[in-house]
Structures are given as C-alpha cells and as structure tokens.
Amino acid sequence: KNEVEQSPQNLTAQEGEFITINCSYSVGISALHWLQQHPGGGIVSLFMLSSGKKKHGRLIATINIQEKHSSLHITASHPRDSAVYICAVLNRDDKIIFGKGTRLHILP
Amino acid sequence: DAMVIQNPRYQVTQFGKPVTLSCSQTLNHNVMYWYQQKSSQAPKLLFHYYDKDFNNEADTPDNFQSRRPNTSFCFLDIRSPGLGDAAMYLCATLGANSYNEQFFGPGTRLTVL
C-alpha cells in the first residue's frame, strides 16, 4: 500500500463544475503539499498545509490531521485547470513522498 | 524571479555518453532534492542533501551520482545513460526557515538516443 493515496486517478468534468481531489496518507508528516503539473511541464506548488484550510483564488485546500486526509477543491473549473494534481507529504525525516497524481481534464 | 533554476531545460545525449544536469537556487535553502519522473508516474527521489550531508536512496542506480559544492548549486551526473534513463529530472529545495515550503525547478527533460 502506498504511503500517499490519491483519488480519483483520472477525472473528466465540464467547465464550471466543482472539483474535489482527495489525498490520504499513512505516515507522520510535518506538512502536506498540493502540486500542479501541466503535460510536459515542471511542478508548481499550489499549497502547503500543516493544519486547517487555505484558499487561493478558485482553489481551496483542507487538511484533517487526525484523519490523515486532505482535499483539494476547484470552484468554477476551467479548461486551463486541466493538469495533473499531486499530493505530496513531508515526513519527519524531511523526505517528500508523492502520491501518484490525479489527471484532471476539464471540457469546454 | 526564478528561485530554483535548472539547466539545461532539454538535454539530448547518446547512449553511454556521460551527462551532467545542474540546479541552482537563490533561496539559501539547506535541503536540496533530485527526482526522476517518467511519463505518467510520480516523481521518484534519487538523492537529497541536508546541507552537505548526502543521502542516497537505496534503489538509486550507481550510474547516478550527485555533487553539491555549495549551498546554491547541486549537480546530477549520469555516468553512462541508458535508454531507460530518459525522463524529466526535477530539482527541489526546502528551507528550514520557510515553514516546510518546497520550491521546484522547471525540470530538465533528458532524451537518450
């Protein structure tokens, strides 16, 4: 079993839909990151969370430390949001453990 | 302003011909990471440095070496690239004083002919 599990693996939605991507982890962490990667591109950090909730534009990220679970939400999704979204945790040894990513495709 | 810079962005090499990828950072972060990412897969950690302390992952092939001559620079050397080493190579940093925020470079895409 992977230490960081994401769901769904693939998601296709219509423009304007509310999107939720989930991440569960099984190790002790000092932080959790949500990352975005466009096809063939580098990785961009969207959020770093150690508790609670953060919002940036149409993106919202939440974390529940007790349940070892985080969610990334996209409101009013747009085709330019199409990308791979990766959940990554920083464990107590400063190692970053990545989820396998969620491939999001927003149809116009 | 770019904070983690990788050069070159695209590298083509021949089978067996050594290649060096570079990463530099302007953040003065003490932790630097090298990852290999193949198509549709999660990045795989190759090495990380905590200051000059080098940490090699157990399954990183001997063909891969790394150097960190100072805080700002880190190099990835592939001594004899094989076709299976074609991938995106990502550099990332982490600062002890940056509340665990990571910064990623844009990556170097390596093609092996």
Side-chain angles (χ1 to χ4, degrees):
Chain A
K1 191 180 188 301
N2 293 329
E3 292 170 304
V4 180
E5 295 275 1
Q6 282 186 241
S7 63
Q9 282 189 299
N10 295 283
L11 179 57
T12 299
Q14 290 294 136
E15 183 174 356
E17 284 189 43
F18 181 81
I19 303 297
T20 296
I21 300 171
N22 295 300
C23 175
S24 297
Y25 55 92
S26 57
V27 296
I29 70 168
S30 49
L32 181 144
H33 299 260
W34 280 102
L35 310 168
Q36 182 193 55
Q37 187 173 34
H38 282 101
I43 287 178
V44 173
S45 181
L46 298 174
F47 294 103
M48 188 278 293
L49 296 161
S50 51
S51 64
K53 177 179 175 178
K54 285 190 176 180
K55 184 175 189 294
H56 185 253
R58 295 181 294 106
L59 301 177
I60 303 165
T62 63
I63 188 168
N64 185 318
I65 297 292
Q66 286 73 30
E67 294 186 3
K68 294 189 172 181
H69 181 269
S70 176
S71 294
L72 175 69
H73 305 286
I74 306 175
T75 61
S77 58
H78 189 276
R80 65 174 174 265
D81 298 326
S82 299
V84 176
Y85 292 83
I86 303 170
C87 173
V89 302
L90 186 69
N91 72 6
R92 306 284 188 202
D93 298 323
D94 280 344
K95 279 193 180 177
I96 306 166
I97 306 169
F98 291 88
K100 291 188 175 179
T102 295
R103 190 172 298 276
L104 176 66
H105 187 203
I106 303 296
L107 301 171
Chain B
D1 289 338
M3 292 179 282
V4 181
I5 301 161
Q6 289 189 243
N7 284 304
R9 293 291 309 278
Y10 299 91
Q11 175 76 55
V12 180
T13 190
Q14 286 186 318
F15 184 95
K17 186 173 180 185
V19 67
T20 295
L21 311 182
S22 76
C23 177
S24 63
Q25 52 132 335
T26 60
L27 299 158
N28 205 35
H29 282 174
N30 52 347
V31 189
M32 292 186 78
Y33 305 84
W34 276 109
Y35 292 92
Q36 179 193 64
Q37 187 180 27
K38 296 189 176 179
S39 182
S40 301
Q41 296 181 21
K44 177 181 177 300
L45 181 63
L46 297 173
F47 314 98
H48 77 283
Y49 284 89
Y50 201 102
D51 293 320
K52 286 216 162 185
D53 291 337
F54 174 70
N55 298 273
N56 189 23
E57 291 301 293
D59 58 353
T60 298
D62 293 338
N63 197 25
F64 291 83
Q65 304 284 318
S66 183
R67 297 170 281 137
R68 189 180 186 186
N70 54 52
T71 300
S72 300
F73 285 88
C74 196
F75 299 97
L76 174 63
D77 301 307
I78 308 176
R79 291 192 296 190
S80 181
L83 297 178
D85 297 327
M88 175 78 89
Y89 290 87
L90 295 163
C91 174
T93 72
L94 183 75
N97 296 321
S98 66
Y99 305 98
N100 294 324
E101 187 158 9
Q102 297 160 242
F103 291 86
F104 284 86
T108 294
R109 183 165 294 284
L110 177 67
T111 300
V112 181
L113 301 177

